[in-house]
Amino acid sequence: MAQNNTRTVPAGTPTNVTQKHNKGGIGESTLRPDGTLKVTGEFAYSSDMWHEDMLWGQTLRSTVAHAEIVSIDISEALAMPGVYSVLTYDDLPAEMKNYGLEIQDTPVLANGRVRHHGEPVALVAADHPETARRAAAKIKIDYRELPLVTDEASAIAPDAPLIHPGRDDHHSGHVPHPNIVHRQPIIRGNVEEARKRADVIVEGEYTFGMQDQAFLGPESGMAVPTEDGGVDLYVATQWLHSDLKQIAPVLGLPEEKVRMTLSGVGGAFGGREDISMQIHACLLALATNKPVKIVYNRFESFFGHVHRHPAKLHYEHGATKDGKITHMKCRIVLDGGAYASASPAVVGNASSLSVGPYVIDDVDIEAVALYTNNPPCGAMRGFGAVQACFAYEAQMDKLAAKLGMDPVEFRQLNAMEMGTIMPTGQVVDSPAPVAELLRRVKARPLPPERQWETAGEGSDVRALPGGLSNTTHGEGVVRGVGYAVGIKNVGFSEGFDDYSTARVRLEVINGEPVAMVHTAMAEVGQGGVTVHAQIARTELGVTQVTIHPADTQVGSAGSTSASRQTYMTGGAVKNTCEAVREAVLEIGRRKNGSYHPAWATAELLLEGGKVVTDGGEVLADIAEVLEGEDAIDLELEFRHRPTVAFDLKTGQGDGHVQYTFAAHRAVVEVDTELGLVKVVELATAQDVGKALNMLSVVGQIQGGTTQGLGVAIMEEIIVDPKTAKVRNPSFTDYLIPTILDTPTIPVDVLELADPNAPYGLRGLGEAPTLSSTPAVLAAIRQATGLELNKTPIRPEALTGTL
């Protein structure tokens, strides 16, 4: 993939960067320590773990979406040679038998009722994985099927079955129906009066499909019982301490007896925020007193984690004839599936970001999430904001077309900037270069047309729609160009106590100062361990930095999600390193009789293994200062500035800590006869505040862009509306982009520092997923002239054969 790593910092822009120069420090494209191992296949993932005398766990899942469990017969499974244990709900050891991220509504094993296709019902432990699978298949379950809830109409009908009868959680009191998980309105200004000022009004109904995270490594882990009656759990996850708080109560153990260590994670994208096999492996290990390993296959993985919420979105916008947007009204309905997971937070994001990066003073917004019998949905890269961006960007194109304006110029005319007031009343107090991002992607030269025509060598079918399927040779192929821009929040919002912890140890080993950084951050492939080492080298002036394995023996680092880890855990590492540095200098000042008088007066730094003045004068080696001293070992927490919950009637409140922005220009070629699409290029521009590692920054942006492309033209979990069963739980039928589908992705990086953030950085991993999808849709619309209000675009939608 081609790339353009433009680093743009306009004159006078504050950078808020510690100015130290140490090899491998911040600002350098330091290579990832796990990179070579991963590309050569030598990296050890959680599925590769092995323990002497271990057993294999298997989960039996429901074959229907909504039913009463009349009976369960486990006798044949228990009688099989090699089977050590079979567990059902009645065998759970503690009074607490449910778990959940925010609302504890998910049973560890189904309790008399299943609410979605693939819900866990029973567990088996055996001495071989095939034995465990065969034993699970011998468990006999008698189901009495119940009426289904599959959409909003069936969820709130007068006779609708209640997915969770008698629910009593902190959202239940302000929703209009028990089958609504959460509702968030946002009201600002007066839409009815603003509508009168509009010269044009456009409306749209949009449908966003259910997307799978499609991570590399399916769910896996190992639980090992310990002599103190506890359990050691080695697992691939996104948030160790959140898992711990959910696991310990249902095991009936104090948290200190459930020790968790992060194992190799093969991607996450939100799909590992929720519990999957963690509790099941621990239950089986404690029941058998043997190590138990569970590894999902790809089929089971589709049922073992949450997905992106499918959505129905209705939007109305008005504008004056000179192109100023007068008002916006929208309603967003998210299908949360059978359990709450992160649905409340997704609702908050969808509503508060539903206007997009535009100045609109008069808005009327409502977002809801439903309980249904469809698969549970929760966190996925850019959650809530992705669905909204798809709709509001289509609306921007509709408005521009109706006004006869260029779609980029129309967006720039209405673009927010620093100082803009969000629909929630929050003032954007850091750079918001929306118009500039759009200018950059538009100004980039377009790729050559008809690239499949190779002079003198025939056609290169790889460059054609349909690619190597060799279905077309250019007949009926037309080009389209589309634009989009999006806004995403960074970090946990709405008053959540978002913090992260870091422990840093500095000591002298073999005459050289060495730092160890210990956090509970889940390295899921985002490159956080690389950045933490860069921060430590910069702040401590050392070369040798060791990253301790992530576990629960240190304070929480929060989730690897919400584009927050570099900001939050990076901030914790920075702050703790600064405290360690001050401790070193204090030791030096105490010993200053042996050194230079500048110890007493100068501003001192650690750089290149030395203690230096701000003028660069070397005072001592760090190793000399620490000679005869104990290691400096500190653990500190870091919090961003506080946020507040949105008002439940008006949606007002400073609910987010930071905003991030990305824009895309998509170039596509469409065979209008066959309905095939080739995305030729997805150029992008993004403000990252400060690129701590440009190589990682570009990789994150290109990865997020590709995920957005996937949901635009190929990715969707198909749920049968009559049975609520998943129809395509495999990568044979659920399509994801391969390298042959991935276009050129040139990246233009701006660095406009946020003065409130460590180093001025912005979270960046999610923003490119927002705008890449609507940019591709806009390009296809421009090529075909079709409205195309649903993702993903399928061939039949382009050929009129629906």
Side-chain angles (χ1 to χ4, degrees), residues 630-641:
D630 293 333
I632 300 171
D633 196 335
L634 298 176
E635 180 175 321
L636 299 177
E637 291 180 352
F638 172 79
R639 282 173 167 81
H640 60 58
R641 52 190 177 151

Side-chain angles (χ1 to χ4, degrees), residues 18 39 74 173 176 222 408 425 494 541 570 678 729 748:
T18 304
V39 298
I74 64 173
M222 178 184 290
V408 172
E494 300 186 58
K678 172 72 174 179
D748 197 347

Side-chain angles (χ1 to χ4, degrees), residues 191-205:
V191 165
E192 295 307 316
E193 287 300 314
R195 185 184 281 118
K196 297 174 183 177
R197 301 193 300 270
D199 295 308
V200 298
I201 292 177
V202 299
E203 293 186 74
E205 295 277 356

Side-chain angles (χ1 to χ4, degrees), residues 405-661:
M405 295 182 66
D406 177 88
V408 172
E409 293 176 1
F410 175 76
R411 286 172 168 85
Q412 290 174 313
L413 178 65
N414 292 283
M416 65 184 295
E417 57 189 15
M418 188 170 176
T420 292
I421 299 176
M422 295 292 290
T424 59
Q426 183 168 9
V427 177
V428 178
D429 61 356
S430 60
V434 178
E436 174 63 11
L437 295 173
L438 287 162
R439 185 194 69 77
R440 285 170 176 263
V441 293
K442 186 177 182 182
R444 182 176 290 278
L446 288 164
E449 296 198 41
R450 303 184 71 83
Q451 293 186 51
W452 58 86
E453 294 179 345
T454 308
E457 299 179 11
S459 296
D460 183 354
V461 296
R462 292 173 299 177
L464 280 162
L468 294 174
S469 62
N470 200 23
T471 50
T472 180
H473 292 275
E475 311 90 342
V477 174
V478 294
R479 169 167 283 197
V481 180
Y483 297 88
V485 63
I487 177 174
K488 176 68 178 64
N489 68 303
V490 172
F492 296 147
S493 305
E494 300 186 58
F496 187 90
D497 183 18
D498 191 4
Y499 73 93
S500 191
T501 314
R503 184 176 182 180
V504 177
R505 179 183 177 90
L506 182 65
E507 60 186 320
V508 177
I509 300 177
N510 297 326
E512 183 176 4
V514 176
M516 175 177 285
V517 177
H518 185 187
T519 77
M521 181 208 70
E523 171 59 65
V524 301
Q526 82 278 18
V529 292
T530 312
V531 169
H532 291 176
Q534 290 179 268
I535 293 171
R537 292 189 192 102
T538 298
E539 300 300 334
L540 296 176
V542 301
T543 300
Q544 297 297 320
V545 178
T546 300
I547 303 298
H548 191 287
D551 56 31
T552 52
Q553 306 309 301
V554 66
S556 176
S559 174
T560 300
S561 62
S563 300
R564 63 177 290 282
Q565 279 293 9
T566 302
Y567 190 128
M568 296 302 299
T569 306
V573 173
K574 179 177 185 292
N575 279 9
T576 309
C577 284
E578 288 172 347
V580 169
R581 183 177 70 225
E582 287 307 308
V584 172
L585 297 176
E586 186 58 35
I587 293 170
R589 292 187 183 99
R590 194 177 73 232
K591 296 179 175 180
N592 74 82
S594 305
Y595 299 115
H596 193 282
W599 277 107
T601 59
E603 181 180 347
L604 306 181
L605 305 172
L606 306 185
E607 186 176 310
K610 311 289 185 183
V611 180
V612 300
T613 67
D614 55 358
E617 183 180 2
V618 176
L619 300 185
D621 290 332
I622 297 173
E624 290 179 43
V625 175
L626 295 179
E627 185 177 0
E629 301 287 332
D630 293 333
I632 300 171
D633 196 335
L634 298 176
E635 180 175 321
L636 299 177
E637 291 180 352
F638 172 79
R639 282 173 167 81
H640 60 58
R641 52 190 177 151
T643 60
V644 299
F646 297 126
D647 184 274
L648 293 175
K649 293 182 178 179
T650 66
Q652 300 302 290
D654 291 355
H656 298 306
V657 66
Q658 188 189 58
Y659 296 101
T660 184
F661 309 89

